[in-house]
Amino acid sequence: MTGSGEHVGRARERLTALLVDASTGALGAAGGHVAGVYLRTGTPGLLRLSTLLGLPGQLFRPWWRLQVDRPFPVADAYRLGVRVVLPNATEMVRRYPQFAAGLPFQFGSVYTPVPGAHPSFGVLTVLRPATPDTVDELPDLDRLCRLAEDLGAGLRELVAEEGQAAVAWEGEPVCVRPPARHPGPARVGRFTWDPATSAVRADDRLHALLGMAPEDFPGTGAELAAAVAPADAPHVLTALRETAAGKPPVSPLRVRAGDGAARLLELWPPPGAADPTLVSGIVVDPGPAASADGAADLLPHGVFCLDRTGLVLYINPAAARLAGRPRAELLGRPVWESMPWLSGPPYDDHWRGALLAPGPVHFQVRHEDTGEGDWLALSLHPGPDLVTCTVVPANRIDPALHLPRRPEPGEAGEPREVGVAGEVGVAGETGEAGRPVLGGRPSMAPLYRPIALAIALTDAVTARQVSEVVTQELLPAFGGGRLAIYLLQDRHFYLAWENGFPPGFLAPFDGVGLDAHLPGVETLTSGKPLFFESMRQLADSYPGIPLDASEGARAFLPLIASGRPVGSCILGFDVDRGFSTEERTVLTALAGLIAHAMEKAQRYDTEAALARGLQQALLPRRLSTHPLVETAGRYLPGTQGMDVGGDWYDVVEAGDGLALVIGDVQGHGVQAAATMGQLRSAVRAFALGDRPPDEVLSGTNHLLIDLDPGQFASCCYLRLDPATGHARVARAGHPPPLLRAPDGRTRVLEIPGGVVLGVDPRARYPVTELELAPDAILALYTDGLVERPGADIDDGITALRVALAKAGALPGRRGGRSLAGVADRLTAGARHATDRPDDVALLLATRRPRSAGDTAQRGIKPVTS
């Protein structure tokens, strides 16, 4: 992909404006709380959330990426091209139970495909209040369809001008505050600014917010900046100018009014404006007016207000004191930044509940730096535009809140982690088998938190990833400290994962047979879970069983998937405890979920091993050589998905020259590796016949279309004359080569190219001629080396070009290194990265200088080592 980064940036701005407009319109049409658009990506079968209105992005992170074959309403709307309407949670559970498990709240939703060339561009999504299953209660579906059609038309126009890549979304979603439905007086004001004339136009609410009559309102950008934020006026004016240039600041911009109060400023170029440089903006005054003109400042308990993106718009002195930070540091910042102890599980679920469903949410949270005791009790009261939150020390809960009192010093018990919305747990009030009771009701925390396990397991593909998810999600939910997972293979148990047990303690149990008298074995052979409330109870049931030195309860769970035995899961607790009927039921069900995930992981491991074997067999072990040419190749598999894919490189004899080839088959796994092998063989056959580059790519293109594997591939083919350095190159949808001159200057070779292989049987691949000087380095690479989620590929190519320029001269020059050393340096970052979303392939070539005694002539035939 070539082109200037600035040009790509303008295309992305146009795309974002289209998406935000459609999402905002959808909120109004459906009366929704949350709206957004899922767009297709550069990875086939993967959708990404591109825009999100009305919900903080971090709360929706588990749903940022979505495979189109998953049992989710977004996937169905995209794959089938039909609108999906879920009026309430009951219908959502009936049709999409896995989706409902992750968002167990009372809300409805609508999913409308965005029409385009097959498949559709994506899905316009709205989450809204729940309604009965009656047609007259549903949103304006026709208007939603029109919004989706208008968005599709805008995206088609963008594709026609910029190409398909312009509407492929990578990276994080753009999170936007939705328009207020009931704006308070003099709290939000809007304006536009024309940078050409510096003229400002404002609405009446901004006049009131600034305390000015319309005739006294400033007329220029500089005067506006001084009126909004006198101390920060230069900063505001700079932000206005940068927004006009297409580089708006990260919203919101926090500034100070003349009296020192916090103000928020948001700027954007309005989509579809006649003058694309015109800047629109809003000024938000999040001061005491957010809560009855400061009346809440006098309340003894803490009160703070958030907008629907999680921004703190108001906080009274009592809440700031409990948060342990000055009000100035809390206002205008996301609550998860200013009060990080309110983020993460299980609190994210409570925030989601408050933002998606009606009714208050109550919970307790531990905060060690309050000065008022470690535990705070919070209540969230959602409104159309704001969430009002009350916070008090847990030992001073207002009886009107109907929350249990925290024990006084010396009393038994202390608060525990909360459960579902509206419930708070206090130890010392116990029900069946020691289960904590909430105001007379048993805590649902152990039953609710594991929902996160179900969601997290959907993305775990290896046995190690499954075990890590269980450790992170299951153990904290039930207060466990130890975990062991055994898998069944050839009628023997083998330890797949352990956490928290003494070193070496589990080794004697590794490899035991099905006839062993052990609870981990018998839970699987009987199909029944075994629960022991203490180590003494375990020893009594299994006399002579080795025990670790610790005390506590144990649970042995059978891992059975679709009636097939998979293994056993052992949970260890640090203290003696009982297991309620609900907990036993949930743990047994979760064991089935873990078993299915482990079974899938075992199939993955088998297929991954096959794919790795194919990859190793198909990649060249040695490259064809020539006395005048040195080459070096590197391949790194991805760390996501099936690990290996369809990247390849090759050096082939081509008459009296050498053919340098690099390619990338779409996708990963066995199919991609097999297709790569077929294409590599075809290219080699054409190259050995010394066919011109355009004929090589055209012939390979027809072969891939005839094979019809449902995949496409990019490729770059270069035929080099080693004696003269003359080269002819053709490109099929592949990133452009780089060339480093002997003096270190490095450039991108602007080579015209055709479409990827396997798409158009009439495709043509133009040939470009170039010269490779002695000691110059030619670099061919796949997009895995230069592409990063959320970043422009041009930036990645530029970074690689700079790295190649700095890689140093070749041997014989001061500070030189071998070509293999250059290849290692260029792939060092990818090699040490823990997360490689795609394969990486790199092929370098250079011509050796011809010495006086060099007898190599142009007719020398390349030699294969």
Side-chain angles (χ1 to χ4, degrees):
M1 180 179 176
T2 59
S4 70
E6 183 179 353
H7 178 75
V8 173
R10 288 196 298 269
R12 178 50 58 97
E13 290 173 10
R14 288 180 56 193
L15 174 62
T16 302
L18 288 170
L19 299 173
V20 171
D21 269 3
S23 301
T24 304
L27 276 181
H33 299 310
V34 180
V37 180
Y38 280 89
L39 281 185
R40 63 195 187 198
T41 67
T43 303
L46 179 67
L47 301 177
R48 279 189 180 273
L49 184 64
S50 60
T51 50
L52 181 64
L53 274 71
L55 193 68
Q58 76 169 58
L59 293 186
F60 217 67
R61 184 179 291 274
W63 298 272
W64 282 6
R65 300 169 67 253
L66 187 64
Q67 297 289 339
V68 298
D69 57 354
R70 295 287 303 283
F72 279 71
V74 172
D76 278 359
Y78 177 82
R79 189 179 64 255
L80 304 176
V82 298
R83 183 177 59 220
V84 176
V85 180
L86 302 175
N88 48 51
T90 301
E91 184 69 7
M92 181 166 61
V93 170
R94 185 183 71 82
R95 296 177 59 183
Y96 300 97
Q98 188 172 331
F99 180 56
L103 292 170
F105 311 112
Q106 279 292 340
F107 67 93
S109 52
V110 184
Y111 310 85
T112 306
V114 179
H118 183 77
S120 60
F121 286 116
V123 178
L124 179 61
T125 303
V126 183
L127 309 185
R128 61 183 310 278
T131 60
D133 298 324
T134 53
V135 176
D136 57 346
E137 294 285 346
L138 294 177
D140 189 344
L141 299 180
D142 289 339
R143 184 179 169 194
L144 284 175
C145 286
R146 289 194 298 272
L147 287 168
E149 290 170 356
D150 291 344
L151 175 58
L155 296 181
R156 285 194 296 273
E157 181 179 341
L158 191 58
V159 167
E161 298 176 7
E162 308 291 345
Q164 290 286 345
V167 297
W169 192 270
E170 308 291 348
E172 300 183 0
V174 174
C175 299
V176 182
R177 177 184 294 108
R181 301 179 198 174
H182 306 292
R187 291 204 57 246
V188 179
R190 298 181 178 272
F191 68 91
T192 60
W193 176 66
D194 186 346
T197 63
S198 196
V200 175
R201 296 182 60 187
D203 65 4
D204 292 337
R205 290 188 297 176
L206 183 56
H207 298 155
L209 189 153
L210 297 177
M212 295 182 174
E215 58 271 19
D216 298 328
F217 188 79
T220 68
E223 293 171 332
L224 172 70
V228 171
D232 299 319
H235 188 33
V236 172
L237 192 57
T238 298
L240 287 169
R241 291 168 179 162
E242 289 179 348
T243 303
K247 299 177 181 179
V250 177
S251 293
L253 195 65
R254 300 177 72 244
V255 295
R256 293 287 169 189
D259 59 0
R263 279 179 177 166
L264 308 177
L265 181 66
E266 290 194 24
L267 304 171
W268 65 92
D275 184 353
T277 64
L278 196 67
V279 173
S280 290
I282 61 172
V283 179
V284 181
D285 182 359
S291 184
D293 295 325
D297 282 0
L298 306 177
L299 293 177
H301 60 267
V303 177
F304 60 99
C305 298
L306 316 176
D307 70 1
R308 295 194 63 84
T309 65
L311 213 64
V312 179
L313 298 181
Y314 167 78
I315 184 166
N316 74 349
R321 177 171 46 81
L322 292 173
R325 301 182 67 176
R327 294 175 73 180
E329 295 182 11
L330 299 170
L331 281 171
R333 297 182 61 191
V335 66
W336 299 279
E337 290 182 10
S338 56
M339 293 178 262
W341 37 275
L342 282 176
S343 64
Y347 310 118
D348 286 354
D349 283 318
H350 299 308
W351 290 112
R352 278 191 285 262
L355 290 165
L356 292 177
V361 177
H362 309 293
F363 61 95
Q364 289 187 8
V365 60
R366 191 181 185 92
H367 180 32
E368 297 179 354
D369 301 323
T370 62
E372 295 284 347
D374 291 346
W375 288 89
L376 301 175
L378 276 83
S379 294
L380 314 180
H381 300 271
D385 302 315
L386 300 175
V387 177
T388 301
C389 314
T390 62
V391 54
V392 295
N395 59 352
R396 299 182 186 173
I397 298 177
D398 187 340
L401 296 176
H402 304 292
L403 296 176
R405 179 180 58 85
R406 183 180 186 272
E408 296 291 348
E411 293 183 356
E414 65 172 351
R416 295 197 181 196
E417 183 178 278
V418 299
V420 295
E423 299 179 329
V424 182
V426 177
E429 304 175 58
T430 58
E432 179 187 356
R435 182 179 174 204
V437 171
L438 309 176
R441 295 177 297 160
S443 168
M444 296 294 289
L447 314 184
Y448 178 65
R449 171 80 182 278
I451 288 175
L453 175 67
I455 302 302
L457 281 177
T458 60
D459 291 328
V461 293
T462 67
R464 180 180 182 86
Q465 289 172 341
V466 171
S467 302
E468 287 175 341
V469 166
V470 175
T471 301
Q472 295 165 0
E473 299 291 346
L474 185 60
L475 288 183
F478 289 86
R482 294 169 174 79
L483 170 71
I485 295 179
Y486 286 86
L487 298 181
L488 182 65
Q489 183 178 355
D490 298 328
R491 299 182 62 81
H492 288 78
F493 284 81
Y494 295 94
L495 183 63
W497 181 267
E498 66 171 305
N499 181 76
F501 285 95
F505 171 74
L506 297 176
F509 304 103
D510 197 19
V512 300
L514 284 174
D515 56 349
H517 182 56
L518 295 169
V521 174
E522 294 186 354
T523 188
L524 182 63
T525 56
S526 67
K528 298 178 180 178
L530 302 175
F531 298 94
F532 302 95
E533 298 183 359
S534 66
M535 295 295 281
R536 178 180 298 178
Q537 191 180 79
L538 174 60
D540 291 343
S541 301
Y542 290 87
I545 185 174
L547 302 175
D548 60 286
S550 63
E551 294 295 326
R554 295 289 186 270
F556 297 82
L557 308 174
L559 302 182
I560 301 174
S562 303
R564 295 184 296 276
V566 175
S568 301
C569 177
I570 304 172
L571 299 180
F573 302 85
D574 295 330
V575 297
D576 296 351
R577 58 158 292 172
F579 297 91
S580 68
T581 302
E582 293 90 343
E583 285 179 315
R584 293 173 185 239
T585 301
V586 170
L587 283 170
T588 303
L590 288 176
L593 188 65
I594 297 168
H596 279 284
M598 277 295 182
E599 187 182 47
K600 181 185 70 173
Q602 289 176 314
R603 290 197 302 269
Y604 165 87
D605 290 338
T606 300
E607 186 175 351
L610 176 59
R612 282 191 294 270
L614 274 174
Q615 189 81 16
Q616 292 170 359
L618 294 173
L619 283 173
R621 297 188 178 183
R622 288 187 296 270
L623 301 177
S624 297
T625 61
H626 189 283
L628 296 180
V629 178
E630 180 184 357
T631 59
R634 295 292 183 269
Y635 170 78
L636 300 172
T639 58
Q640 297 180 0
M642 190 47 67
D643 288 339
V644 295
D647 289 21
W648 91 93
Y649 61 86
D650 209 347
V651 179
V652 190
E653 301 173 6
D656 59 357
L658 288 181
L660 309 176
V661 190
I662 196 162
D664 182 2
V665 177
Q666 161 253 332
H668 295 82
V670 174
Q671 181 63 52
T675 302
M676 178 271 285
Q678 292 172 309
L679 294 186
R680 176 173 176 262
S681 298
V683 172
R684 286 185 66 88
F686 287 126
L688 288 170
D690 202 12
R691 302 279 291 276
D694 55 335
E695 293 185 19
V696 173
L697 293 186
S698 294
T700 308
N701 178 46
H702 284 100
L703 173 66
L704 185 56
I705 291 174
D706 291 341
L707 290 173
D708 192 22
Q711 294 173 304
F712 55 84
S714 66
C715 185
C716 185
Y717 182 94
L718 183 143
R719 200 276 188 191
L720 173 67
D721 185 328
T724 66
H726 182 73
R728 305 179 73 228
V729 59
R731 194 162 62 98
H734 202 80
L738 302 179
L739 183 63
R740 181 186 187 277
D743 62 4
R745 290 180 299 172
T746 308
R747 60 191 176 97
V748 178
L749 297 179
E750 300 293 346
I751 297 173
V755 298
V756 291
L757 306 175
V759 174
D760 182 5
R762 297 169 297 180
R764 295 292 180 266
Y765 301 97
V767 176
T768 301
E769 298 188 0
L770 56 93
E771 300 294 327
L772 183 64
D775 280 341
I777 301 177
L778 178 73
L780 307 178
Y781 53 93
T782 57
D783 56 9
L785 188 59
V786 294
E787 215 168 26
R788 295 292 179 271
D792 191 277
I793 191 173
D794 284 349
D795 296 335
I797 294 174
T798 299
L800 181 62
R801 178 182 61 78
V802 172
L804 180 60
K806 294 180 179 178
L810 294 170
R813 303 177 70 92
R814 178 174 296 181
R817 57 169 55 87
S818 68
L819 194 64
V822 176
D824 289 337
R825 182 161 182 173
L826 295 182
T827 56
R831 188 167 59 252
H832 295 122
T834 57
D835 184 13
R836 283 194 304 272
D838 198 2
D839 298 10
V840 171
L842 172 71
L843 178 61
L844 301 181
T846 186
R847 289 177 63 223
R848 297 185 177 97
R850 299 183 62 172
S851 63
D854 190 352
T855 58
Q857 301 296 324
R858 185 168 181 175
I860 288 181
K861 188 175 182 62
V863 179
T864 303
S865 60

